Amino acid sequence: MNSDGVAIPAAARALRAAPRVVVATGAGMSQDSGIPTFRDAARGLWARYDPEELATEAAFRRHPARVFGWYAWRRRLVHAATPHAGYHALVALEGLVPELAIVTQNVDGLHTRVGSRRVLELHGSLERFSCLDARHPFPAERAPEPAADTECEPPRCEQCGSPVRPDVVWFGEMLPERVTAEAWALAASCRAMLVVGTSGLVQPAAQLPLIAREAGATVIEVNPDPTELSDAAHIVCRGRAGAVLPALVAALTQGATQ
Ligand code: APR
C-alpha cells in the first residue's frame, strides 16, 4: 500500500485495533528537527573522519579529545533543536491506544524531552556519561560543553581516574541487556508496530519489525524513501515523520469520534 490517501487511514485503523503498539524510531525521526543523521553528522571539523571510526572504543582510546569533542558537538546540536510535530503526535498517540512503547536507536533524548513516557533507548544516550574502564557513572552536568566546534579533552572519573565517555553504544559493543530484552519482548507481543525513520541497515535493531511481523503484528513504515524494511511492512506511509505522524494521529482522533 503506497498511496498516503489510503495508507494513513489504514494505519490509523490498525493502530486503533491494537491493544499494544510499539513505535520503533531511527535517525530519520530527528531529521525534521534539524539533527543530522549519524552519517551526516560528520560535518565541519569532523568531515574528514569516518563516523564509524569515531564511534568505537579503539578510536576513543587513540584520540579521546577528538571523539569526546565530536559527541560534545552533537550534544550541542541536540540541545539547540526543537522537537517537531511528529514527536508531539507520538505523545498524543500514547493517550489514544491502551499501551504504547517507543524503542529508539536515537541517542538524542527528544522523545523523553517532549513527554513520551515509555522510551527504550537501544543505543544509549548523549545525556549520560560513564568512565571507560569501570563504567562508573559520571554526572552529565559536569561534562564539559565547549562553545565551539572543537576537540575536547574528556574529564576523568572521580572514582578511578579513567577517562569519561558518552554512554552510547559504539560499534562492536553489546546493546544494554535489560532494555534489549524488554524491546524484544514488546516486539514479539505487540499488535501494531510503527517503524519511523530507520534504514533497517543497523543490526540488531533492524530485526524488531521482522519479529513483530512474524508474531502477527501489523507493521507500518513511515519513511520518505524505500528501505530494507519496506517489503516487511503491511502498510507504507511514504513521507516525513514531521508530516505523517500528525496526520496519522488526526485520522485516529477523527475515527474515534465517529
Ligand atoms: N522522516 C522519516 N524518515 C526519514 C526522514 C524524515 N524526515 N528523513 C530521512 N529519513 C529516513 C531515511 O530515508 C533513512 O531510511 O531515515 C532513515 C535514516 O537511516 P540511518 O541514518 O541509517 O538511521 P538508523 O536506521 O537510525 O541507523 C542509524 O546507526 O550508526 C548507527 O548507532 C547509530 O543509531 C544509529 C544508527
Side-chain angles (χ1 to χ4, degrees):
M1 191 177 290
N2 274 303
S3 145
D4 272 2
V6 187
I8 286 179
R13 276 194 301 278
L15 291 171
R16 196 179 302 126
R20 171 177 282 168
V21 173
V22 170
V23 185
T25 65
M29 179 73 202
S30 294
Q31 185 87 337
D32 290 338
S33 286
I35 297 174
T37 59
F38 182 73
R39 274 150 203 96
D40 285 347
R43 288 191 194 152
L45 180 65
W46 319 107
R48 65 195 129 129
Y49 306 118
D50 178 348
E52 298 204 8
E53 285 169 16
L54 289 170
T56 66
E57 181 182 328
F60 184 70
R61 286 192 185 276
R62 264 197 312 272
H63 306 290
R66 180 188 299 166
V67 172
F68 198 88
W70 184 56
Y71 279 96
W73 172 72
R74 290 177 59 195
R75 191 165 172 243
R76 210 170 53 250
L77 289 182
V78 167
H79 289 175
T82 305
H84 60 72
Y87 276 99
H88 295 281
L90 291 183
V91 176
L93 187 59
E94 219 171 53
L96 294 170
V97 297
E99 189 185 336
L100 180 139
I102 296 174
V103 179
T104 188
Q105 295 173 75
N106 299 343
V107 293
D108 56 35
L110 292 192
H111 288 296
T112 305
R113 199 200 293 176
V114 294
S116 283
R117 280 178 303 176
R118 193 169 178 197
V119 182
L120 281 70
E121 292 175 320
L122 283 182
H123 292 172
S125 168
L126 290 173
E127 298 303 328
R128 289 192 299 272
F129 296 86
S130 62
C131 74
L132 183 61
D133 293 329
R135 302 307 291 260
H136 294 129
F138 184 86
E141 59 278 10
R142 263 181 260 160
E145 292 187 36
D149 184 3
T150 165
E151 296 200 355
C152 171
E153 208 53 57
R156 294 272 164 178
C157 175
E158 289 156 358
Q159 294 180 61
C160 69
S162 158
V164 167
R165 56 167 282 177
D167 248 337
V168 298
V169 176
W170 279 333
F171 287 100
E173 293 183 330
M174 301 290 286
L175 267 50
E177 210 173 307
R178 192 186 51 76
V179 169
T180 305
E182 194 180 341
W184 258 242
L186 283 167
S189 60
C190 68
R191 302 307 300 161
M193 180 177 280
L194 253 183
V195 184
V196 186
T198 179
S199 59
L201 291 171
V202 177
Q203 295 293 350
Q207 289 170 31
L208 288 170
L210 309 179
I211 292 169
R213 187 184 166 107
E214 188 67 27
T218 303
V219 176
I220 305 156
E221 177 175 69
V222 177
N223 199 306
D225 297 314
T227 72
E228 292 294 309
L229 298 169
S230 299
D231 284 348
H234 300 95
I235 303 168
V236 175
C237 302
R238 282 274 163 261
R240 308 175 71 84
V244 172
L245 295 175
L248 203 48
V249 167
L252 201 63
T253 314
Q254 281 157 18
T257 57
Q258 275 167 15

